Amino acid sequence: MKAPRELKVKPIRNGTVIDHITANKALNVLKILGLPSKEAAVTIAMNVKSSEMGTKDIVKVEGRELESREVDKIALIAPKATINIVREYEIIEKGKVTLLNHVNGILICPNPNCITNTNEPVKSKFNIIDTGPLMLRCYYCERIMNNQDIEEQFK
Ligand code: CTP
Ligand code: ZN
């Protein structure tokens, strides 16, 4: 019997392709981007084969280029993600997400008594203490956040 012809995921015309997302994290990436929404055309591929990663997820969003704040959040759940900006079918920019030493103003400290959770005007701030798997420590109260705690905030 002849093997069926391999179907490729359709290219997009204008927008952003987030590739090399950690397998099974595409839905967290959508959450970060505030998707699905009524209008945006989105393509999702989960658990597809990748030579570098074994398996990976891909998210394609038509007609949208990401804000740096969104890219910083994606780095927390998909540290190997690549961001491809597409215009008229061509990739005009290819970038990688990056984890900085500090994660500022993105996550909420899980400690209810932390100064960042009171009415003081203090934004959350975490130091990275491990990257594989990701582990953060609150700069103010030293509460540790593990990978799972981080993901919880993007569900
Ligand atoms: N892509 C797309 N629409 C386009 C162009 C590219 O959806 N008009 C997607 C491709 O399907 C792929 C990603 O954007 O998932 C990156 O494309 P490309 O750089 O051509 O692929 P690779 O060389 O495999 O990427 P990398 O070097 O990042 O592994
Ligand atoms: Zn804290």
Side-chain angles (χ1 to χ4, degrees), residues 9-13 17 19-20 52 56 58 60 82 84 86 89-91 94:
V9 186
K10 223 177 96 191
I12 61 170
R13 180 168 184 173
V17 177
D19 199 351
H20 305 105
E52 307 112 271
K56 66 174 181 180
I58 307 171
K60 302 186 184 193
T82 50
N84 300 277
V86 177
Y89 294 106
E90 299 281 337
I91 293 175
K94 193 187 266 286

Side-chain angles (χ1 to χ4, degrees), residues 108-117 124-126 137-144:
I108 298 165
C109 180
N111 171 9
N113 299 319
C114 179
I115 188 163
T116 60
N117 289 322
S124 73
K125 180 169 166 179
F126 294 86
R137 182 168 51 215
C138 178
Y139 174 81
Y140 298 100
C141 74
E142 302 196 333
R143 175 68 69 98
I144 302 286

Side-chain angles (χ1 to χ4, degrees), residues 75-104:
L76 292 173
I77 58 144
K80 292 187 175 155
T82 50
I83 310 287
N84 300 277
I85 300 176
V86 177
R87 286 194 197 146
E88 289 306 323
Y89 294 106
E90 299 281 337
I91 293 175
I92 59 139
E93 203 182 311
K94 193 187 266 286
K96 272 196 160 100
V97 302
T98 47
L99 270 177
L100 304 172
N101 289 329
H102 301 279
V103 178
N104 296 345

Side-chain angles (χ1 to χ4, degrees), residues 30 33-42 61-62 64:
L30 290 186
L33 301 178
L35 297 168
S37 70
K38 261 192 182 149
E39 270 128 56
V42 177
V61 191
E62 299 258 6
R64 172 150 162 203

Side-chain angles (χ1 to χ4, degrees), residues 22-52:
T22 312
N24 294 304
K25 301 300 174 205
L27 298 182
N28 303 88
V29 170
L30 290 186
K31 172 79 184 183
I32 288 168
L33 301 178
L35 297 168
S37 70
K38 261 192 182 149
E39 270 128 56
V42 177
T43 312
I44 305 162
M46 293 181 77
N47 283 313
V48 296
K49 282 211 181 101
S50 156
S51 49
E52 307 112 271

